[in-house]
Amino acid sequence: MASKNMLIVHGGGPTAVLNASLYGAVLGARDNPAVDKIYGALGGTEAVFTGNFIDLKTLPEEKLRLLPGTPGTAIGSSRFHLEPEDYEKMPALFREHNIGYVLLTGGNGSMDTCGKIAAACKGADIRVGGIPKTMDNDLAVTDHAPGYASAARYAAATVQEVGADVRSLPIHIVIVEVMGRNAGWVAASTALARKAPGDAPHLIYTPEVPFDEEAFLSDAKRLFEEKGGVVVVVSEGLVDKEGNNVVPPLFTVGRSVYYDDVSTYLRDLIVKRLGVKVRSEKPGLCGRASIAWQSPVDRDEAILAGKTAAEAIIAGENNFMVGFKRLPGEEYRVETMLVPVEQVMLDEKKMPRSYLNEAGNDVTDEFIRWAKPLVGELPDFVHFN
């Protein structure tokens, strides 16, 4: 088989290890004679139609080595909407650039795109595969996805630091809002901030359990009277028992509905109902862009995911996503697997109910055991009160 070019496309929001996966894919393909050029799509899927590519094979080694420690995505990403006719055009566009291998890196939406491109390329001698990426950790089948552990480590470390501040001057309730529109994996990870009983966070709320405002106010009042300083962590997408967002919508554009910050909403609710001092904090994009709190496990597994995908697609695999399977035993170990992409297309994985306590305002030990190897150790702080 004559050598063909590889195209790597990034989709959706960046993570702290997205470039690490890009680095892994380059490692897995650059020395294989079956691959000529390794194209990076500059700006996401739209580049397929403009031909805006960079040959990553020509970059100097010192530049490539910077990728695993660079946040965001060096080749850019997008949420470019594809119509059915766009998929039909792709095989011809790939042939124009002698592209025989296409790798898409992303979450649920990108894996849906991956499956649709693979279907469009069926019979065209063009193979398509997926590299998992999402800080939300909501990809199905795989134990976890690259991007999550670093976001979780940042969130846990931030809450640990906020907790030390609040304990030093215990005069208010602080609500920390983290990303996670429909799944609470990142919010749950902040439980790892606790080094001793009573440490922050004192309450954790995720979208998997309907949010009860009266129960929340009761818990917040009780803890404030007991401690004077309280740290509450909430996912951005909290919903009520009817499944509606607890925050009223601000405005709608097409099919997109935009809401105010849930932390701001709950801050105002506490002030009005309890009459106590409240602060709201929302790290937002900081949580997915921090290299300072990048998880070493996350970085290494992101490289492994990219390398595995490149090697698999060159070897003849098609229509797949790389996944991770956790191996049994006390020591944390994983192995990669190839998952049929149809099993992950727009299939959103939420937290198992067993990972959340009965009241829905904290996590269980089962979750802590699952998450701790991914996030790693956090620093020890000292206090005398």
Side-chain angles (χ1 to χ4, degrees):
M1 177 180 174
S3 64
K4 292 196 173 185
N5 299 328
M6 176 177 287
L7 176 65
I8 304 170
V9 186
H10 287 170
T15 74
V17 298
L18 181 50
N19 283 320
S21 289
L22 178 64
Y23 179 70
V26 173
L27 289 184
R30 65 181 179 182
D31 295 327
N32 196 305
V35 179
D36 185 11
K37 297 177 180 178
I38 304 174
Y39 287 133
L42 295 176
T45 49
E46 190 173 5
V48 174
F49 303 94
T50 63
N52 191 16
F53 304 148
I54 181 174
D55 185 2
L56 300 169
K57 221 175 185 182
T58 64
L59 294 178
E61 185 66 26
E62 59 268 23
K63 291 283 188 183
L64 287 173
R65 283 200 302 265
L66 292 175
L67 284 173
T70 300
T73 159
I75 58 174
S77 184
S78 74
R79 299 191 189 276
F80 184 69
H81 181 69
L82 294 168
E83 299 292 346
E85 56 269 25
D86 294 325
Y87 292 104
E88 296 172 6
K89 298 173 184 175
M90 285 189 175
L93 293 170
F94 293 146
R95 282 193 292 266
E96 282 182 19
H97 297 278
N98 192 34
I99 294 170
Y101 315 103
V102 181
L103 290 175
L104 285 92
T105 311
N108 295 306
S110 295
M111 290 308 109
D112 182 65
T113 299
C114 180
K116 289 175 179 176
I117 293 176
C121 291
K122 188 175 181 180
D125 196 24
I126 299 168
R127 301 173 199 151
V128 184
I131 303 171
K133 175 276 311 178
T134 171
M135 63 160 288
D136 293 328
N137 198 46
D138 57 357
L139 273 169
V141 185
T142 184
D143 178 78
H144 56 278
Y148 167 68
S150 293
R153 183 169 171 80
Y154 173 89
T158 297
V159 168
Q160 185 187 27
E161 293 165 350
V162 168
D165 184 287
V166 171
R167 184 175 56 227
S168 303
L169 185 62
I171 60 172
H172 50 204
I173 297 172
V174 178
I175 302 172
V176 181
E177 177 182 344
V178 299
M179 298 178 82
R181 173 59 60 188
N182 299 314
W185 296 98
V186 177
S189 71
T190 62
L192 295 167
R194 299 170 183 148
K195 294 282 187 167
D199 283 355
H202 305 109
L203 296 167
I204 300 173
Y205 296 95
T206 73
E208 283 81 3
V209 178
F211 185 74
D212 184 328
E213 286 190 1
E214 295 305 319
F216 163 69
L217 288 168
S218 176
D219 287 338
K221 183 175 186 293
R222 171 180 54 81
L223 286 165
F224 182 73
E225 290 173 349
E226 174 188 325
K227 296 176 177 295
V230 180
V231 178
V232 180
V233 174
V234 297
S235 290
E236 62 181 333
L238 295 187
V239 295
D240 59 23
K241 61 183 179 180
E242 280 79 36
N244 300 315
N245 196 295
V246 299
V247 182
L250 284 176
F251 62 95
T252 302
V253 178
R255 293 179 296 178
S256 299
V257 182
Y258 293 87
Y259 298 90
D260 199 359
D261 297 340
V262 67
S263 53
T264 301
Y265 174 79
L266 295 179
R267 178 200 66 192
D268 295 346
L269 180 69
I270 292 175
V271 170
K272 292 173 183 176
R273 294 285 300 276
L274 302 184
V276 301
K277 182 178 175 66
V278 190
R279 296 183 67 97
S280 62
E281 305 286 348
K282 184 181 179 181
L285 296 185
C286 302
R288 73 185 194 196
S290 174
I291 288 297
W293 283 111
Q294 184 190 63
S295 161
V297 168
D298 199 22
R299 180 186 61 242
D300 293 345
E301 290 183 350
I303 294 171
L304 177 61
K307 189 170 185 290
T308 299
E311 291 173 346
I313 202 170
I314 296 168
E317 298 290 346
N318 191 28
N319 203 24
F320 67 88
M321 182 194 81
V322 174
F324 289 102
K325 178 181 179 181
R326 194 177 298 217
L327 301 177
E330 291 296 318
E331 182 184 357
Y332 172 75
R333 294 180 302 137
V334 295
E335 64 181 15
T336 57
M337 58 183 178
L338 300 185
V339 181
V341 76
E342 292 87 354
Q343 294 183 16
V344 294
M345 293 168 67
L346 293 179
D347 186 358
E348 194 170 52
K349 181 182 73 175
K350 297 191 176 185
M351 290 185 67
R353 190 62 181 83
S354 62
Y355 281 6
L356 300 166
N357 70 352
E358 186 176 350
N361 61 10
D362 208 335
V363 303
T364 62
D365 290 341
E366 184 181 351
F367 172 78
I368 295 294
R369 288 192 296 271
W370 176 86
K372 191 169 184 178
L374 302 175
V375 173
E377 290 297 327
L378 297 178
D380 290 320
F381 298 157
V382 64
H383 65 95
F384 307 115
N385 55 338

